[in-house]
């Protein structure tokens, strides 16, 4: 009787331990940051797709200017939800970005500034993954946008998140 009890307890312990190791734990967003999860649907031939991730922000610009922003590449830190490196997440550790505004002509500077969304020059290229969400921790004022690239046809689709 005690042998069966000991074997039963060991079996339960091993089962709990096994499932606990496959459950990712992610950090809570820092103050001033939010978590955005990329969740992709299951599709056929998902190995033919890549995901290009970029960040967006709203700022005041001249209407006729071309603009984008840039942050240091080491500001985007990759972590994992499990110690062995599985279940990645990405943390944009700074909201300090350099905004570059180019002008089409000199008369542009005489116009009134308007609020516009611009995209980062920085991008991240990921494998298409429909098995688990990919969390991103970004400043609350940023958006996350991605393009699905078909590596065979070279076509893309852009999707915006808040």
């Amino acid at each position: 009787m005690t042998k069966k009890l000991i074997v039963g307890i060991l079996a339960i312990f091993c089962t709990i331990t096994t499932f606990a190791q496959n459950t990712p734990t992610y950090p809570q967003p820092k103050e001033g940051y939010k978590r955005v999860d990329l969740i992709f649907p299951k599709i056929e031939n998902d190995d033919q797709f890549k995901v290009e991730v970029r960040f967006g922000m709203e700022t005041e610009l001249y209407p006729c200017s071309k603009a984008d922003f840039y942050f240091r590449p080491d500001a985007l830190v990759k972590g994992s939800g499990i110690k062995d490196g599985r279940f990645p997440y990405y943390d944009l550790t700074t909201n300090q970005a350099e905004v570059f505004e180019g002008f089409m002509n000199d008369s542009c500077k005489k116009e009134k500034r308007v609020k516009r969304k611009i995209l980062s020059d920085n991008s991240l290229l990921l494998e298409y993954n429909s098995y688990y969400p990919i969390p991103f921790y970004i400043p609350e004022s940023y958006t996350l946008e991605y393009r699905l690239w078909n590596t065979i046809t070279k076509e893309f689709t852009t999707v915006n998140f808040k």
Side-chain angles (χ1 to χ4, degrees):
M1 177 84 170
T2 57
K3 266 188 176 178
K4 287 183 181 179
L5 181 63
I6 292 173
V7 170
I9 290 172
L10 280 174
I12 291 171
F13 177 74
C14 289
T15 303
I16 290 171
T17 304
T18 301
F19 285 114
Q21 291 176 351
N22 290 324
T23 304
T25 55
Y26 299 110
Q28 291 296 316
K30 300 179 285 190
E31 187 175 329
Y33 285 73
K34 63 184 174 183
R35 176 178 163 175
V36 178
D37 289 343
L38 286 184
I39 302 172
F40 302 115
K42 292 193 185 317
I43 57 174
E44 284 188 38
N45 302 324
D46 63 353
D47 59 330
Q48 294 178 1
F49 289 87
K50 300 272 186 196
V51 180
E52 177 190 13
V53 177
R54 294 175 75 188
F55 305 95
M57 71 159 52
E58 274 199 4
T59 188
E60 294 216 353
L61 302 165
Y62 293 106
C64 59
S65 68
K66 296 270 188 196
D68 54 22
F69 70 96
Y70 178 82
F71 53 86
R72 290 186 340 269
D74 61 342
L76 184 62
V77 177
K78 181 179 179 182
S80 62
I82 294 182
K83 290 181 184 175
D84 65 3
R86 291 182 294 159
F87 301 100
Y89 68 86
Y90 297 88
D91 188 351
L92 186 55
T93 61
T94 182
N95 62 1
Q96 301 297 315
E98 291 184 55
V99 175
F100 298 103
E101 187 173 13
F103 299 99
M104 302 305 276
N105 56 45
D106 288 335
S107 65
C108 180
K109 292 183 181 181
K110 295 176 184 167
E111 297 179 33
K112 184 180 177 191
R113 288 184 173 261
V114 294
K115 231 180 209 283
R116 267 190 18 217
K117 182 168 69 171
I118 58 174
L119 293 177
S120 64
D121 266 353
N122 310 70
S123 66
L124 178 65
L125 195 62
L126 305 171
E127 298 291 326
Y128 187 91
N129 169 18
S130 61
Y131 300 108
Y132 52 84
I134 304 171
F136 282 82
Y137 296 91
I138 60 176
E140 288 178 345
S141 61
Y142 283 21
T143 61
L144 184 130
E145 304 195 11
Y146 69 89
R147 289 184 185 182
L148 295 181
W149 287 93
N150 184 320
T151 58
I152 304 301
T153 65
K154 307 296 185 214
E155 296 174 348
F156 66 87
T157 305
T158 303
V159 182
N160 304 327
F161 278 103
K162 289 291 178 195

